Amino acid sequence: MALRGPNSAEFARTVAQIGEVIDAAALAPDRWHDVCAAFQSLHPDARVLFQGHDRLAPYAMPLAGAGWEDVNLEPYFLYYASRNPWLGIWKEMATSKVEIADALLPRRVLEATEFYNDWLKPMGRADMALGLKIAHERDRVAFFCAHYDSRSHERTNEVMAPVMQALASRMRRALDCNRAVLRGQCSIPSDGLMQNLLDPALIVNSECKLVAANSAAEALIGSGMLINVRARDIVSFGLPEIDARFARSVEATCARHPGGAGSHAEFPVELAGIRLTVSVLPLASNLHSLALRGPLPYFSPAVTALVILRVLPPDRFDAVVRFRARYRLTEQEARVTNALRLGGSLVDIAKELGVTYETARAHIKSAFSKTGTHNQRELLSLLLAESARSPESTM
């Protein structure tokens, strides 16, 4: 197909037609497959792919495509995807500028790679490519590319590159619209896991925004006891010090590093006379299962936190109440002492309680004096000993 140059009427019609498909994908994200097919129609032997890549993910995620029906992607996911020599190059590319692959990665370098010799070349119709970085947000890249046979590269570049360049900003706007359309949807296949848990269970992102909840958690939220959902869908326990501890645990749990995620966290909570433990575990999507599902995986958090709430059997006397009565602590001294059990430094505790560091330090020093302890470790050990003591032994 020859479009007779960017100034021809035929070129303008082609850009307008594909542009309409892109606009449709802006409001219906599953239409990105149609966008890929529209570009492929310019050169039927080409393989077109829309991809997303998280810097800490093992490989680029195919979001939509056309012309890949005869390709077995299993070996790609299991081995070759993580060896794609272009992954590191995408980050350095200019956004919204069409690039020829050979200009980014010299042919001699590509042909020396295992990825090329064992995967790309045997596949056929894919050893040359041109690409467009649609978006680059922090550690994530959205990339649109066309692979084709090197024997037809001049004709393919002449036809596809100008059209792709003319529609670069339109594709970026469509992706921005997808964010609003997909907001609130969850790509994590969590229903089976969540509903099989008897305890209240939530999935939250790194900002403590509720992503999903099982029926037990929904009932708990609906009751208004223990937890609630504030503005912007933020999960809250209603007390600043507990919310701050929860936020730190979730943020650490959702932290990504190459090859893994954050660690498990667990801490106790005492609210309205009810004692419970809050367990926070990392939950990552199986990238393979999300392949070619449109741009939803691109906007979904790479790692979320699975939060499980377990109500503990009630004590006849609360340990902190017993501890406060035994050593005649003031309410503020007891709050600072109890905050030690939730973890964090004295600076963190001061912020959680809404007091200055000097005030928190004064309360701790006063608690030292009343309990006969000399440092935070001794004070915490004494409080834990009180927690372990049965209520009957204090009577």
Side-chain angles (χ1 to χ4, degrees):
M1 177 179 181
L3 300 182
R4 300 178 185 175
N7 296 322
S8 69
E10 187 176 359
F11 179 85
R13 283 195 298 272
T14 299
V15 169
Q17 290 169 358
I18 299 179
E20 290 179 1
V21 182
I22 293 173
D23 291 345
L27 300 178
D30 58 341
R31 294 287 303 275
W32 276 99
H33 289 285
D34 296 335
V35 174
C36 294
F39 274 100
Q40 190 201 25
S41 69
L42 300 176
H43 187 75
D45 286 337
R47 303 182 190 272
V48 180
L49 196 60
F50 176 34
Q51 303 178 81
H53 182 232
D54 183 323
R55 181 180 63 85
L56 294 176
Y59 48 73
M61 168 56 59
L63 305 176
W68 299 87
E69 293 78 9
D70 62 335
V71 177
N72 178 10
L73 292 177
E74 190 72 19
Y76 174 81
F77 287 115
L78 294 178
Y79 187 77
Y80 295 106
S82 61
R83 288 158 174 78
N84 188 336
W86 280 302
L87 292 183
I89 296 173
W90 288 355
K91 184 179 179 182
E92 307 304 324
M93 287 178 58
T95 304
S96 299
K97 180 184 177 183
V98 175
E99 299 275 10
I100 307 299
D102 281 6
L104 302 172
L105 184 66
R107 189 78 176 181
R108 57 179 175 77
V109 176
L110 174 64
E111 291 181 350
T113 64
E114 182 182 21
F115 178 84
Y116 173 82
N117 287 290
D118 295 348
W119 167 250
L120 202 60
K121 185 178 178 179
M123 181 197 312
R125 297 165 38 205
D127 60 329
M128 284 285 290
L130 56 86
L132 168 69
K133 184 163 72 172
I134 301 175
H136 188 173
E137 302 176 356
R138 297 183 181 177
D139 291 329
R140 288 189 175 182
V141 173
F143 195 79
F144 196 87
C145 62
H147 286 264
Y148 44 88
D149 194 313
S150 59
R151 291 171 294 185
S152 61
H153 74 278
E154 291 184 1
R155 181 165 56 90
T156 307
N157 291 344
E158 182 182 354
V159 171
M160 298 192 74
V163 177
M164 194 179 292
Q165 185 63 68
L167 292 167
S169 60
R170 207 157 177 171
M171 284 194 277
R172 173 56 194 261
R173 289 197 299 271
L175 190 62
D176 288 340
C177 289
N178 290 163
R179 188 192 306 276
V181 172
L182 294 169
R183 185 177 292 122
Q185 294 189 32
C186 176
S187 67
I188 300 169
S190 59
D191 289 346
L193 168 67
M194 295 284 284
Q195 297 308 326
N196 284 331
L197 292 171
L198 297 179
D199 294 309
L202 319 164
I203 295 177
V204 299
N205 68 10
S206 60
E207 298 175 345
C208 297
K209 180 178 179 178
L210 182 64
V211 175
N214 67 358
S215 55
E218 289 174 350
L220 188 62
I221 293 170
S223 72
M225 299 176 58
L226 302 181
I227 58 172
N228 57 74
V229 180
R230 304 197 320 256
R232 295 178 53 245
D233 296 328
I234 301 298
V235 174
S236 171
F237 290 84
L239 291 177
E241 58 265 35
I242 298 177
D243 283 347
R245 179 71 175 94
F246 180 60
R248 288 202 309 271
S249 299
V250 168
E251 183 179 12
T253 297
C254 291
R256 284 292 303 272
H257 59 82
S263 59
H264 165 265
E266 185 169 291
F267 59 93
V269 168
E270 298 171 11
L271 290 168
I274 299 175
R275 301 167 58 242
L276 65 151
T277 59
V278 180
S279 299
V280 186
L281 306 96
L283 186 64
S285 301
N286 179 349
L287 293 180
H288 190 170
S289 69
L290 303 179
L292 301 174
R293 285 181 52 183
L296 180 57
Y298 180 76
F299 295 114
S300 301
V303 177
T304 51
L306 173 62
V307 181
I308 303 174
L309 307 177
R310 295 186 176 90
V311 177
L312 301 176
D315 283 342
R316 286 185 59 190
F317 295 95
D318 178 84
V320 176
V321 173
R322 298 197 308 264
F323 190 79
R324 178 184 174 188
R326 179 186 295 274
Y327 295 103
R328 301 179 183 274
L329 302 182
T330 66
E331 180 179 352
Q332 286 298 319
E333 290 166 356
R335 289 186 71 195
V336 173
T337 300
N338 186 47
L340 287 176
R341 189 167 52 164
L342 301 181
S345 67
L346 194 57
V347 173
D348 295 329
I349 290 172
K351 290 180 181 179
E352 293 169 9
L353 298 181
V355 299
T356 65
Y357 170 79
E358 289 74 16
T359 298
R361 186 167 180 269
H363 290 318
I364 283 290
K365 290 182 68 175
S366 179
F368 291 162
S369 176
K370 291 180 179 180
T371 58
T373 56
H374 303 88
N375 53 49
Q376 293 182 31
R377 179 176 296 180
E378 291 182 5
L379 180 61
L380 180 58
S381 296
L382 194 63
L383 176 58
L384 293 177
E386 182 67 43
S387 301
R389 184 181 294 115
S390 65
E392 287 77 8
S393 65
T394 65
M395 297 178 63

